[in-house]
Coordinates of all heavy atoms in Angstrom, one line a residue:
M1 N 64.6 71.2 109.8 CA 65.4 71.2 108.6 C 66.8 71.7 108.9 O 67.0 72.7 109.5 CB 64.7 72.2 107.5 CG 65.5 72.2 106.3 SD 64.4 73.2 105.1 CE 65.3 73.1 103.7
S2 N 67.8 71.0 108.4 CA 69.2 71.3 108.7 C 69.8 72.2 107.6 O 69.3 72.3 106.4 CB 70.1 70.1 108.8 OG 70.1 69.4 107.6
A3 N 70.8 73.0 107.9 CA 71.4 73.9 107.0 C 72.1 73.1 105.9 O 72.7 72.0 106.1 CB 72.5 74.8 107.7
P4 N 72.0 73.5 104.6 CA 72.7 72.8 103.5 C 74.2 72.8 103.7 O 74.8 73.8 104.2 CB 72.3 73.5 102.3 CG 71.9 74.9 102.7 CD 71.4 74.8 104.1
T5 N 74.8 71.7 103.3 CA 76.3 71.7 103.4 C 76.9 71.8 102.0 O 76.3 71.3 101.0 CB 76.7 70.3 104.0 OG1 76.2 69.3 103.2 CG2 76.2 70.2 105.4
L6 N 78.0 72.4 102.0 CA 78.7 72.6 100.7 C 79.5 71.4 100.4 O 80.1 70.8 101.3 CB 79.5 73.9 100.7 CG 78.8 75.2 100.9 CD1 79.8 76.3 101.1 CD2 77.9 75.5 99.7
P7 N 79.6 71.0 99.1 CA 80.5 69.9 98.8 C 81.9 70.2 99.1 O 82.4 71.3 99.0 CB 80.2 69.6 97.3 CG 79.7 70.9 96.8 CD 79.0 71.6 98.0
V8 N 82.7 69.2 99.5 CA 84.1 69.4 99.8 C 84.8 69.2 98.4 O 84.7 68.3 97.7 CB 84.6 68.3 100.8 CG1 86.1 68.4 100.9 CG2 83.9 68.4 102.1
V9 N 85.6 70.3 98.1 CA 86.4 70.3 96.9 C 87.8 69.9 97.2 O 88.4 70.6 98.0 CB 86.3 71.6 96.2 CG1 87.1 71.7 94.9 CG2 84.8 72.0 95.9
P10 N 88.3 68.9 96.6 CA 89.7 68.5 97.0 C 90.7 69.6 96.4 O 90.4 70.1 95.3 CB 89.9 67.2 96.3 CG 88.9 67.1 95.2 CD 87.8 67.9 95.7
T11 N 91.7 69.8 97.1 CA 92.7 70.8 96.6 C 93.7 70.0 95.7 O 94.1 68.9 96.0 CB 93.5 71.5 97.7 OG1 94.1 70.5 98.5 CG2 92.6 72.3 98.6
L12 N 94.1 70.6 94.6 CA 95.1 70.0 93.7 C 96.5 70.3 94.1 O 96.8 71.4 94.5 CB 94.8 70.5 92.3 CG 93.5 70.2 91.7 CD1 93.3 70.9 90.3 CD2 93.3 68.7 91.6
A13 N 97.3 69.3 94.1 CA 98.7 69.5 94.4 C 99.4 70.2 93.3 O 99.0 70.1 92.1 CB 99.4 68.2 94.6
P14 N 100.3 71.1 93.5 CA 101.0 71.8 92.4 C 101.7 70.8 91.5 O 102.1 69.7 92.0 CB 102.0 72.7 93.1 CG 102.1 72.2 94.5 CD 100.9 71.4 94.8
A15 N 101.7 71.1 90.2 CA 102.3 70.2 89.3 C 103.8 70.0 89.6 O 104.5 70.9 90.0 CB 102.2 70.8 87.9
R16 N 104.2 68.8 89.4 CA 105.6 68.4 89.7 C 106.5 68.9 88.6 O 106.1 69.0 87.4 CB 105.7 66.9 89.8 CG 106.9 66.4 90.5 CD 106.7 64.9 90.7 NE 107.0 64.3 89.4 CZ 107.5 63.1 89.2 NH1 107.9 62.5 90.3 NH2 107.7 62.6 88.0
V17 N 107.7 69.3 88.9 CA 108.7 69.8 87.9 C 109.4 68.6 87.4 O 109.9 67.7 88.1 CB 109.7 70.8 88.5 CG1 110.8 71.1 87.5 CG2 109.1 72.0 89.0
L18 N 109.4 68.4 86.0 CA 110.1 67.3 85.4 C 111.2 67.9 84.6 O 111.1 68.9 83.9 CB 109.1 66.6 84.4 CG 107.9 66.0 85.0 CD1 106.9 65.5 84.0 CD2 108.2 64.9 86.0
W19 N 112.4 67.2 84.6 CA 113.6 67.7 84.0 C 114.0 66.8 82.8 O 113.8 65.5 82.9 CB 114.7 67.7 85.0 CG 114.6 68.7 86.0 CD1 114.0 68.7 87.2 CD2 115.1 70.1 85.8 NE1 114.1 69.9 87.8 CE2 114.7 70.8 87.0 CE3 115.7 70.8 84.8 CZ2 115.0 72.1 87.2 CZ3 116.0 72.1 85.0 CH2 115.7 72.8 86.2
A20 N 114.5 67.4 81.8 CA 115.0 66.6 80.6 C 116.3 67.2 80.3 O 116.5 68.4 80.1 CB 114.0 66.8 79.4
K21 N 117.3 66.3 80.1 CA 118.6 66.7 79.7 C 118.6 66.7 78.1 O 118.4 65.7 77.5 CB 119.7 65.7 80.2 CG 121.1 66.2 79.8 CD 122.2 65.3 80.4 CE 123.5 65.8 80.0 NZ 124.6 64.9 80.6
V22 N 118.6 67.9 77.5 CA 118.5 68.0 76.1 C 119.8 68.1 75.3 O 119.8 67.9 74.1 CB 117.5 69.2 75.7 CG1 116.1 68.9 76.3 CG2 118.1 70.5 76.3
D23 N 120.9 68.4 76.1 CA 122.2 68.5 75.4 C 123.2 68.4 76.5 O 122.9 68.4 77.7 CB 122.3 69.8 74.7 CG 123.4 69.8 73.6 OD1 124.1 68.7 73.5 OD2 123.6 70.8 72.9
T24 N 124.4 68.2 76.2 CA 125.5 68.2 77.2 C 125.5 69.5 77.9 O 125.7 70.6 77.4 CB 126.9 68.0 76.5 OG1 126.8 66.8 75.7 CG2 128.0 67.9 77.5
G25 N 125.3 69.4 79.2 CA 125.4 70.6 80.1 C 124.2 71.5 80.0 O 124.2 72.6 80.4
F26 N 123.0 70.9 79.5 CA 121.8 71.8 79.4 C 120.6 70.9 79.7 O 120.3 69.9 79.1 CB 121.7 72.3 78.0 CG 120.6 73.3 77.8 CD1 120.6 74.5 78.4 CD2 119.5 72.9 77.0 CE1 119.5 75.4 78.2 CE2 118.4 73.8 76.8 CZ 118.5 75.1 77.4
W27 N 119.9 71.4 80.8 CA 118.6 70.7 81.2 C 117.5 71.7 81.1 O 117.6 72.9 81.4 CB 118.8 70.3 82.7 CG 119.9 69.3 82.9 CD1 119.7 68.0 83.0 CD2 121.3 69.5 83.1 NE1 120.9 67.3 83.2 CE2 121.9 68.3 83.3 CE3 122.1 70.7 83.1 CZ2 123.3 68.1 83.4 CZ3 123.4 70.5 83.2 CH2 124.0 69.3 83.4
V28 N 116.3 71.2 80.8 CA 115.1 72.0 80.6 C 114.0 71.4 81.6 O 113.8 70.2 81.7 CB 114.6 71.9 79.2 CG1 113.2 72.6 79.1 CG2 115.6 72.5 78.2
A29 N 113.3 72.4 82.3 CA 112.3 72.0 83.2 C 110.9 72.2 82.6 O 110.7 73.2 81.9 CB 112.4 72.8 84.5
H30 N 110.0 71.3 82.9 CA 108.6 71.4 82.5 C 107.8 71.2 83.8 O 108.0 70.3 84.6 CB 108.3 70.3 81.5 CG 109.0 70.4 80.2 ND1 108.6 71.2 79.2 CD2 110.2 69.9 79.9 CE1 109.5 71.1 78.2 NE2 110.5 70.3 78.6
R31 N 106.7 72.0 83.9 CA 105.8 71.9 85.0 C 104.4 71.9 84.4 O 104.0 72.9 83.8 CB 106.0 73.0 86.0 CG 105.1 72.9 87.2 CD 105.0 74.2 88.0 NE 106.3 74.7 88.4 CZ 106.8 74.8 89.6 NH1 106.1 74.4 90.6 NH2 108.0 75.3 89.8
G32 N 103.7 70.8 84.6 CA 102.3 70.7 84.1 C 102.3 70.9 82.6 O 101.3 71.4 82.0
G33 N 103.3 70.4 81.9 CA 103.3 70.4 80.4 C 103.8 71.8 79.9 O 103.9 72.0 78.7
E34 N 104.2 72.7 80.7 CA 104.6 74.0 80.3 C 106.1 74.2 80.6 O 106.6 73.7 81.6 CB 103.8 75.1 81.1 CG 102.3 75.1 81.0 CD 101.8 76.0 79.9 OE1 102.5 77.0 79.6 OE2 100.7 75.7 79.4
Y35 N 106.8 74.9 79.7 CA 108.2 75.3 79.9 C 108.3 76.0 81.2 O 107.6 77.0 81.5 CB 108.7 76.1 78.8 CG 110.1 76.6 78.9 CD1 111.2 75.7 78.9 CD2 110.4 77.9 79.2 CE1 112.5 76.2 79.0 CE2 111.7 78.4 79.4 CZ 112.7 77.5 79.3 OH 114.0 78.0 79.5
D36 N 109.3 75.6 82.1 CA 109.4 76.3 83.4 C 110.8 76.8 83.6 O 111.0 77.5 84.7 CB 109.1 75.2 84.5 CG 108.8 75.9 85.8 OD1 108.1 76.8 85.9 OD2 109.4 75.4 86.8
G37 N 111.7 76.7 82.7 CA 113.1 77.2 82.9 C 114.1 76.2 82.5 O 113.8 75.2 81.9
C38 N 115.4 76.6 82.7 CA 116.5 75.7 82.3 C 117.7 75.9 83.2 O 117.8 76.9 83.9 CB 116.8 76.0 80.8 SG 117.5 77.6 80.5
V39 N 118.6 75.0 83.1 CA 119.9 75.1 83.8 C 121.0 74.8 82.8 O 120.9 73.9 82.0 CB 120.0 74.1 84.9 CG1 121.4 74.1 85.5 CG2 119.0 74.4 86.0
D40 N 122.0 75.7 82.7 CA 123.2 75.5 81.9 C 124.4 75.2 82.7 O 124.6 75.9 83.8 CB 123.5 76.8 81.1 CG 122.6 77.1 80.0 OD1 122.5 76.2 79.1 OD2 122.0 78.2 79.9
A41 N 125.2 74.3 82.3 CA 126.5 74.1 83.0 C 127.5 75.1 82.4 O 127.6 75.3 81.2 CB 127.0 72.7 82.7
V42 N 128.2 75.8 83.3 CA 129.2 76.8 83.0 C 130.4 76.5 83.7 O 130.4 75.6 84.6 CB 128.7 78.2 83.3 CG1 127.5 78.6 82.5 CG2 128.4 78.4 84.8
A43 N 131.5 77.1 83.4 CA 132.8 76.8 84.0 C 132.6 77.1 85.5 O 132.3 78.2 86.0 CB 133.9 77.7 83.5
G44 N 132.8 76.0 86.3 CA 132.8 76.2 87.8 C 131.4 76.1 88.4 O 131.2 76.4 89.6
G45 N 130.3 75.8 87.6 CA 129.0 75.8 88.2 C 127.9 75.6 87.3 O 128.1 75.1 86.1
F46 N 126.7 76.1 87.7 CA 125.5 76.0 86.9 C 124.7 77.3 87.0 O 124.6 77.9 88.1 CB 124.6 74.8 87.4 CG 125.3 73.5 87.3 CD1 126.1 73.1 88.4 CD2 125.2 72.7 86.2 CE1 126.8 71.9 88.3 CE2 125.9 71.5 86.1 CZ 126.7 71.1 87.2
V47 N 124.1 77.7 85.9 CA 123.3 78.9 85.9 C 121.9 78.5 85.6 O 121.6 77.8 84.6 CB 123.8 79.9 84.8 CG1 122.8 81.1 84.7 CG2 125.2 80.4 85.2
S48 N 120.9 79.0 86.4 CA 119.5 78.7 86.1 C 118.8 79.9 85.6 O 119.2 81.0 86.0 CB 118.9 78.2 87.4 OG 118.9 79.2 88.4
R49 N 117.8 79.7 84.8 CA 117.0 80.7 84.2 C 115.5 80.3 84.4 O 115.2 79.2 84.2 CB 117.2 81.0 82.7 CG 118.6 81.5 82.4 CD 118.8 81.7 80.9 NE 120.2 82.1 80.7 CZ 120.5 83.4 80.7 NH1 119.6 84.3 80.9 NH2 121.8 83.8 80.4
D50 N 114.7 81.3 84.7 CA 113.3 81.0 85.0 C 112.6 80.9 83.6 O 113.2 81.0 82.5 CB 112.6 82.0 85.9 CG 112.4 83.4 85.3 OD1 112.7 83.6 84.1 OD2 112.0 84.3 86.1
A51 N 111.3 80.7 83.7 CA 110.5 80.5 82.5 C 110.4 81.7 81.5 O 110.1 81.6 80.4 CB 109.0 80.1 82.8
H52 N 110.9 82.9 82.1 CA 110.9 84.1 81.3 C 112.3 84.3 80.7 O 112.5 85.4 80.1 CB 110.5 85.3 82.1 CG 109.1 85.1 82.7 ND1 107.9 85.2 82.0 CD2 108.7 84.7 83.9 CE1 106.9 85.0 82.7 NE2 107.4 84.6 83.9
G53 N 113.2 83.4 81.0 CA 114.6 83.6 80.5 C 115.5 84.5 81.3 O 116.6 84.8 81.0
I54 N 114.9 84.9 82.5 CA 115.7 85.8 83.4 C 116.6 84.9 84.3 O 116.1 84.0 84.9 CB 114.7 86.6 84.2 CG1 113.9 87.5 83.3 CG2 115.5 87.4 85.2 CD1 112.7 88.2 84.0
P55 N 117.9 85.2 84.3 CA 118.8 84.4 85.2 C 118.3 84.5 86.6 O 118.0 85.6 87.1 CB 120.1 85.1 85.0 CG 120.0 85.8 83.7 CD 118.6 86.3 83.6
I56 N 118.3 83.4 87.3 CA 118.0 83.3 88.7 C 119.3 83.4 89.5 O 119.3 84.1 90.5 CB 117.2 82.0 89.0 CG1 115.9 82.0 88.3 CG2 117.0 81.9 90.5 CD1 115.2 80.7 88.4
G57 N 120.3 82.6 89.1 CA 121.5 82.7 89.9 C 122.5 81.6 89.4 O 122.2 80.9 88.5
R58 N 123.7 81.7 90.0 CA 124.8 80.7 89.7 C 125.0 79.9 90.9 O 125.1 80.4 92.0 CB 126.1 81.5 89.3 CG 127.2 80.6 88.9 CD 128.4 81.5 88.6 NE 129.5 80.6 88.3 CZ 130.1 80.6 87.1 NH1 129.7 81.5 86.2 NH2 131.1 79.8 86.9
Y59 N 125.1 78.6 90.7 CA 125.1 77.6 91.8 C 126.3 76.6 91.6 O 126.7 76.4 90.4 CB 123.8 76.8 91.8 CG 122.6 77.7 92.0 CD1 122.0 78.3 90.9 CD2 122.3 78.1 93.3 CE1 120.9 79.1 91.1 CE2 121.2 79.0 93.5 CZ 120.5 79.5 92.4 OH 119.5 80.4 92.6
D60 N 126.8 76.1 92.7 CA 127.9 75.2 92.6 C 127.5 73.8 92.2 O 128.2 73.0 91.6 CB 128.6 75.1 94.0 CG 129.3 76.3 94.4 OD1 129.7 77.1 93.5 OD2 129.4 76.6 95.6
S61 N 126.2 73.4 92.5 CA 125.7 72.1 92.1 C 124.5 72.1 91.2 O 123.7 73.1 91.3 CB 125.4 71.3 93.4 OG 124.2 71.7 94.0
L62 N 124.3 71.1 90.5 CA 123.2 71.0 89.6 C 121.9 70.9 90.4 O 120.9 71.6 90.0 CB 123.3 69.7 88.7 CG 122.1 69.4 87.8 CD1 121.9 70.5 86.8 CD2 122.4 68.1 87.0
D63 N 121.9 70.2 91.5 CA 120.7 70.1 92.4 C 120.3 71.5 92.9 O 119.1 71.8 92.9 CB 121.0 69.1 93.5 CG 121.0 67.7 93.1 OD1 120.5 67.4 92.0 OD2 121.6 66.9 93.8
A64 N 121.3 72.3 93.3 CA 120.9 73.6 93.8 C 120.3 74.5 92.7 O 119.4 75.2 92.9 CB 122.2 74.3 94.4
A65 N 120.9 74.4 91.5 CA 120.4 75.2 90.4 C 119.0 74.7 90.0 O 118.1 75.6 89.8 CB 121.3 75.0 89.2
K66 N 118.7 73.4 90.0 CA 117.4 72.9 89.7 C 116.4 73.3 90.8 O 115.3 73.7 90.5 CB 117.4 71.4 89.6 CG 118.0 70.9 88.3 CD 118.0 69.4 88.3 CE 118.4 68.8 87.0 NZ 118.4 67.3 87.0
A67 N 116.8 73.3 92.1 CA 116.0 73.7 93.2 C 115.5 75.2 93.1 O 114.5 75.5 93.5 CB 116.7 73.4 94.5
S68 N 116.4 76.0 92.5 CA 116.0 77.4 92.4 C 114.9 77.7 91.5 O 114.2 78.7 91.6 CB 117.3 78.2 91.9 OG 117.5 78.0 90.5
L69 N 114.5 76.7 90.6 CA 113.4 76.9 89.7 C 112.1 76.4 90.3 O 111.0 76.6 89.7 CB 113.6 76.1 88.4 CG 114.7 76.7 87.5 CD1 114.9 75.7 86.3 CD2 114.2 78.0 87.0
R70 N 112.1 75.7 91.4 CA 110.9 75.1 92.0 C 109.8 76.1 92.3 O 108.7 75.7 92.3 CB 111.3 74.3 93.2 CG 112.1 73.1 92.8 CD 112.0 72.0 93.9 NE 112.8 70.9 93.4 CZ 113.9 70.4 94.0 NH1 114.3 70.9 95.1 NH2 114.6 69.4 93.4
S71 N 110.2 77.3 92.6 CA 109.2 78.3 92.8 C 109.5 79.6 92.1 O 110.5 80.3 92.4 CB 109.1 78.6 94.3 OG 108.3 79.7 94.6
T72 N 108.7 79.9 91.1 CA 109.0 81.1 90.4 C 108.5 82.3 91.2 O 108.7 83.5 90.9 CB 108.2 81.2 89.0 OG1 106.9 81.0 89.2 CG2 108.8 80.1 88.1
M73 N 107.9 82.0 92.4 CA 107.5 83.1 93.3 C 108.6 83.4 94.3 O 108.5 84.2 95.2 CB 106.2 82.8 94.0 CG 105.0 82.6 93.0 SD 104.9 83.8 91.7 CE 104.7 85.3 92.5
H74 N 109.8 82.7 94.2 CA 110.9 82.9 95.1 C 111.2 84.4 95.0 O 111.2 85.0 93.9 CB 112.1 82.0 94.6 CG 113.2 82.1 95.6 ND1 114.2 83.2 95.5 CD2 113.6 81.4 96.6 CE1 115.1 83.0 96.4 NE2 114.7 81.9 97.1
P75 N 111.6 85.1 96.1 CA 111.9 86.5 96.1 C 112.9 86.9 95.0 O 112.8 87.9 94.4 CB 112.4 86.8 97.5 CG 111.7 85.7 98.3 CD 111.6 84.5 97.4
A76 N 113.9 86.0 94.8 CA 114.9 86.4 93.8 C 114.3 86.4 92.4 O 114.6 87.2 91.6 CB 116.1 85.4 93.9
N77 N 113.5 85.4 92.1 CA 112.8 85.4 90.8 C 111.9 86.5 90.6 O 111.9 87.1 89.5 CB 112.0 84.1 90.7 CG 112.9 82.8 90.7 OD1 114.1 82.9 90.7 ND2 112.3 81.7 90.7
V78 N 111.1 86.9 91.6 CA 110.2 88.0 91.5 C 110.9 89.3 91.3 O 110.5 90.1 90.4 CB 109.2 88.0 92.7 CG1 108.4 89.3 92.7 CG2 108.3 86.8 92.8
S79 N 111.9 89.5 92.1 CA 112.6 90.8 92.0 C 113.3 90.9 90.6 O 113.3 92.0 90.0 CB 113.6 91.0 93.1 OG 114.7 90.1 93.0
R80 N 113.9 89.9 90.1 CA 114.6 89.9 88.8 C 113.5 90.2 87.7 O 113.8 90.9 86.8 CB 115.3 88.6 88.5 CG 116.6 88.5 89.3 CD 117.4 87.3 88.9 NE 118.6 87.2 89.6 CZ 118.8 86.6 90.7 NH1 117.8 86.0 91.3 NH2 120.0 86.6 91.3
R81 N 112.4 89.5 87.8 CA 111.4 89.7 86.8 C 110.8 91.1 86.8 O 110.6 91.8 85.8 CB 110.2 88.7 87.0 CG 109.2 88.7 85.9 CD 108.1 87.7 86.0 NE 108.7 86.3 86.3 CZ 108.5 85.7 87.4 NH1 107.9 86.2 88.4 NH2 109.0 84.5 87.6
R82 N 110.7 91.7 88.0 CA 110.2 93.1 88.1 C 111.2 94.1 87.5 O 110.9 95.0 86.8 CB 109.9 93.4 89.6 CG 108.6 92.8 90.0 CD 108.3 93.3 91.4 NE 107.1 92.6 91.9 CZ 106.9 92.3 93.1 NH1 107.8 92.6 94.1 NH2 105.8 91.7 93.5
R83 N 112.5 93.8 87.8 CA 113.5 94.7 87.2 C 113.5 94.6 85.7 O 113.6 95.6 85.0 CB 114.9 94.3 87.8 CG 115.2 94.8 89.1 CD 116.7 94.8 89.5 NE 117.3 93.4 89.3 CZ 117.4 92.5 90.3 NH1 116.9 92.8 91.5 NH2 117.9 91.4 90.0
A84 N 113.4 93.4 85.2 CA 113.4 93.2 83.7 C 112.1 93.9 83.1 O 112.2 94.6 82.1 CB 113.4 91.8 83.3
E85 N 111.0 93.8 83.8 CA 109.8 94.5 83.3 C 109.9 96.0 83.3 O 109.5 96.7 82.4 CB 108.6 94.0 84.1 CG 108.2 92.6 83.8 CD 107.1 92.0 84.8 OE1 106.8 92.8 85.8 OE2 106.7 90.9 84.6
R86 N 110.5 96.5 84.4 CA 110.7 97.9 84.5 C 111.6 98.4 83.4 O 111.4 99.5 82.8 CB 111.3 98.3 85.9 CG 110.2 98.6 86.9 CD 110.7 99.1 88.2 NE 110.6 98.0 89.2 CZ 111.6 97.6 90.0 NH1 112.7 98.2 90.0 NH2 111.4 96.6 90.8
A87 N 112.7 97.7 83.2 CA 113.6 98.1 82.1 C 113.0 98.1 80.8 O 113.2 99.0 80.0 CB 114.8 97.1 82.1
S88 N 112.1 97.1 80.5 CA 111.4 97.1 79.2 C 110.4 98.3 79.1 O 110.2 98.9 78.0 CB 110.8 95.8 78.9 OG 109.7 95.6 79.8
V89 N 109.7 98.6 80.2 CA 108.8 99.8 80.2 C 109.6 101.1 80.0 O 109.1 101.9 79.2 CB 108.0 99.8 81.5 CG1 107.3 101.1 81.7 CG2 107.0 98.6 81.6
V90 N 110.7 101.2 80.6 CA 111.5 102.4 80.5 C 112.0 102.5 79.0 O 111.9 103.6 78.4 CB 112.7 102.5 81.4 CG1 113.7 103.5 81.1 CG2 112.2 102.6 82.9
A91 N 112.4 101.5 78.4 CA 112.9 101.5 77.1 C 111.7 101.8 76.1 O 111.9 102.6 75.2 CB 113.5 100.1 76.7
A92 N 110.6 101.2 76.4 CA 109.4 101.5 75.5 C 109.0 103.0 75.7 O 108.6 103.6 74.7 CB 108.3 100.6 75.9
T93 N 109.1 103.5 76.9 CA 108.7 104.9 77.1 C 109.7 105.9 76.3 O 109.2 106.8 75.7 CB 108.7 105.2 78.6 OG1 107.8 104.3 79.2 CG2 108.3 106.7 78.9
V94 N 110.9 105.6 76.4 CA 111.9 106.4 75.7 C 111.7 106.4 74.2 O 111.6 107.4 73.5 CB 113.4 106.0 76.1 CG1 114.4 106.6 75.2 CG2 113.6 106.3 77.5
V95 N 111.5 105.1 73.7 CA 111.3 105.0 72.2 C 110.0 105.7 71.8 O 109.9 106.4 70.8 CB 111.3 103.5 71.8 CG1 110.8 103.3 70.4 CG2 112.7 102.9 72.0
G96 N 108.9 105.4 72.6 CA 107.6 106.0 72.3 C 107.7 107.6 72.4 O 107.1 108.2 71.5
G97 N 108.4 108.1 73.4 CA 108.5 109.5 73.5 C 109.2 110.2 72.4 O 108.9 111.2 71.9
T98 N 110.3 109.5 71.9 CA 111.1 110.0 70.8 C 110.3 110.0 69.5 O 110.3 110.9 68.8 CB 112.4 109.1 70.6 OG1 113.1 109.2 71.9 CG2 113.2 109.6 69.5
A99 N 109.5 108.9 69.3 CA 108.7 108.8 68.1 C 107.6 109.9 68.2 O 107.3 110.5 67.1 CB 108.0 107.4 68.1
L100 N 107.0 110.1 69.3 CA 106.0 111.2 69.4 C 106.6 112.5 69.1 O 106.0 113.3 68.4 CB 105.4 111.1 70.8 CG 104.3 112.2 71.1 CD1 103.1 112.0 70.2 CD2 103.9 112.1 72.6
A101 N 107.8 112.8 69.6 CA 108.4 114.1 69.3 C 108.7 114.3 67.9 O 108.4 115.4 67.3 CB 109.7 114.2 70.1
F102 N 109.1 113.2 67.2 CA 109.3 113.3 65.7 C 108.0 113.5 65.0 O 107.9 114.3 64.1 CB 110.0 112.1 65.2 CG 111.5 112.1 65.5 CD1 112.1 111.0 66.1 CD2 112.3 113.1 65.1 CE1 113.5 111.0 66.4 CE2 113.7 113.1 65.4 CZ 114.3 112.0 66.0
A103 N 107.0 112.8 65.4 CA 105.7 112.9 64.8 C 105.1 114.4 65.0 O 104.6 114.9 64.0 CB 104.7 111.9 65.3
L104 N 105.2 114.9 66.2 CA 104.8 116.3 66.4 C 105.5 117.3 65.6 O 105.0 118.2 65.0 CB 104.8 116.6 67.9 CG 103.8 115.8 68.8 CD1 104.1 116.1 70.2 CD2 102.4 116.1 68.4
T105 N 106.9 117.1 65.5 CA 107.7 118.0 64.8 C 107.3 117.9 63.3 O 107.2 119.0 62.6 CB 109.2 117.7 65.0 OG1 109.5 117.8 66.4 CG2 110.1 118.6 64.2
A106 N 107.2 116.7 62.8 CA 106.8 116.6 61.4 C 105.5 117.2 61.1 O 105.3 117.8 60.0 CB 106.8 115.1 61.0
G107 N 104.5 117.0 62.0 CA 103.2 117.6 61.8 C 103.2 119.1 61.8 O 102.5 119.8 61.1
A108 N 104.1 119.7 62.7 CA 104.2 121.1 62.8 C 104.9 121.7 61.6 O 104.5 122.9 61.2 CB 104.9 121.5 64.1
L109 N 105.8 121.0 61.0 CA 106.5 121.5 59.9 C 105.9 121.2 58.5 O 106.3 121.8 57.5 CB 108.0 120.9 59.9 CG 108.9 121.4 61.0 CD1 110.2 120.7 61.0 CD2 109.0 122.9 61.1
A110 N 104.9 120.3 58.5 CA 104.3 119.9 57.3 C 103.8 121.1 56.4 O 104.0 121.1 55.2 CB 103.2 118.9 57.5
P111 N 103.1 122.1 57.0 CA 102.6 123.2 56.2 C 103.7 124.0 55.5 O 103.5 124.6 54.5 CB 101.9 124.1 57.2 CG 101.6 123.2 58.3 CD 102.7 122.2 58.4
Y112 N 104.9 123.9 56.0 CA 106.0 124.7 55.5 C 106.9 123.9 54.5 O 107.8 124.4 53.8 CB 106.9 125.2 56.6 CG 106.2 126.0 57.6 CD1 105.8 125.5 58.8 CD2 105.8 127.3 57.2 CE1 105.1 126.3 59.7 CE2 105.0 128.1 58.2 CZ 104.7 127.6 59.4 OH 104.0 128.3 60.3
L113 N 106.6 122.6 54.3 CA 107.3 121.8 53.4 C 106.7 121.8 52.0 O 105.7 121.9 51.7 CB 107.5 120.3 53.9 CG 108.2 120.2 55.2 CD1 108.2 118.8 55.7 CD2 109.6 120.7 55.1

């Protein structure tokens, strides 16, 4: 009796990025039917933003700006996303800490009001 063989599962190719020009100087990327980012024409170049709205960079050509969106795992994209996430966590911590301080103060003073 021979050892059972596992079926071969084909690997799926990553979804292709499709671009649509939605306005003068504004292109939107879709990957697998999902929003993947955009490129804006600005004075002297193009600015790309990833699917989270975080700027990736400024480029001299439209092709270079579009190419920057091809991988959201690009180190520049990942580091910008992490910085944005850290900034939102810090802001939430400050707001939460302030709210907690007010709540504790109000609770401590309630018997005297």
